[in-house]
Amino acid sequence: MLFTSCASNKSSTIVGGKYNEANNTTEYFVLPYGSVSLPGKWEKGNYVSVSKQQFFKNQDSISVAIAFGRYDSFEFNRDGKLKGYDFLKTFFEWESAYFQDSFGLQSRMIETDRVKNYIIYNVSGKNDDSFNTIFLIGEKNGNVSNFSVNYTDKWSENEKILFLKNLYK
């Protein structure tokens, strides 16, 4: 377990998790923002502090990223005016512009749910699979969950989407 103080939003977080052999799940949490149970055994990989993404990889070399935070910690929503689906739609547009402008990647919305407050989308290259990632961004009570499955030919797009939805529920 790791205890960190976040000076930017004047709150503290508790970060931790481990593999639960009895349930065959890998637990990960960033309290008070969110937690998740990954089915099976996943090894912790790189952490990207800018995006707050913790990467995990399973025995099949499938890579996922998980990030938790607050809806008012994003540069486009510092005042906290955007909530729920309005926040998610703006996040998608902001993220899409970043991937397009920085890397020439295309974003495609796959599914939205205004009741459960999530958007699933794909970011990929135009002519190759060098970057092909499925994301789920969701918001509940001001807490934002951002999950992604990186490129793999071991799961179909539908399997990736189902995996992400199961993480979010």
Side-chain angles (χ1 to χ4, degrees):
M1 208 176 310
L2 175 66
F3 181 76
T4 59
S5 177
C6 301
S8 62
N9 60 10
K10 298 181 182 167
S11 68
S12 296
T13 57
I14 299 172
V15 178
K18 65 178 181 175
Y19 176 65
N20 182 327
E21 193 171 345
N23 295 336
N24 190 28
T25 58
T26 301
E27 310 298 329
Y28 177 67
F29 57 85
V30 179
L31 299 178
Y33 304 125
S35 63
V36 68
S37 293
L38 296 159
K41 188 171 187 176
W42 295 76
E43 297 296 324
K44 204 181 231 189
N46 292 341
Y47 177 77
V48 180
S49 60
V50 173
S51 60
K52 298 180 176 81
Q53 289 178 299
Q54 177 63 60
F55 284 83
F56 292 87
K57 190 176 278 193
N58 71 5
Q59 66 187 18
D60 294 328
S61 295
I62 294 172
S63 177
V64 301
I66 298 168
F68 296 111
R70 289 289 297 167
Y71 72 109
D72 57 358
S73 66
F74 293 87
E75 66 185 45
F76 64 84
N77 198 38
R78 295 271 188 231
D79 59 6
K81 287 184 179 179
L82 297 171
K83 298 176 182 164
Y85 189 78
D86 292 333
F87 168 82
L88 297 173
K89 187 173 181 280
T90 304
F91 178 92
F92 171 75
E93 293 164 355
W94 174 75
E95 185 94 321
S96 295
Y98 168 76
F99 279 117
Q100 174 63 47
D101 296 345
S102 300
F103 307 105
L105 300 172
Q106 304 298 308
S107 298
R108 167 179 64 92
M109 198 172 299
I110 297 172
E111 182 179 325
T112 64
D113 189 320
R114 291 175 182 251
V115 174
K116 295 180 181 172
N117 266 349
Y118 69 78
I119 293 176
I120 298 173
Y121 61 100
N122 172 253
V123 176
S124 62
K126 290 182 182 179
N127 299 320
D128 63 53
D129 285 329
S130 61
F131 190 95
N132 188 341
T133 300
I134 305 284
F135 293 87
L136 183 149
I137 181 77
E139 186 269 336
K140 295 177 187 174
N141 302 318
N143 293 324
V144 177
S145 300
N146 190 344
F147 306 133
S148 63
V149 178
N150 298 322
Y151 172 77
T152 179
D153 57 2
K154 296 179 181 174
W155 289 354
S156 68
E157 182 172 285
N158 286 337
E159 288 172 310
K160 294 172 190 174
I161 292 167
L162 182 59
F163 177 84
L164 293 172
K165 287 165 93 174
N166 285 332
L167 291 182
Y168 186 65
K169 62 178 179 173

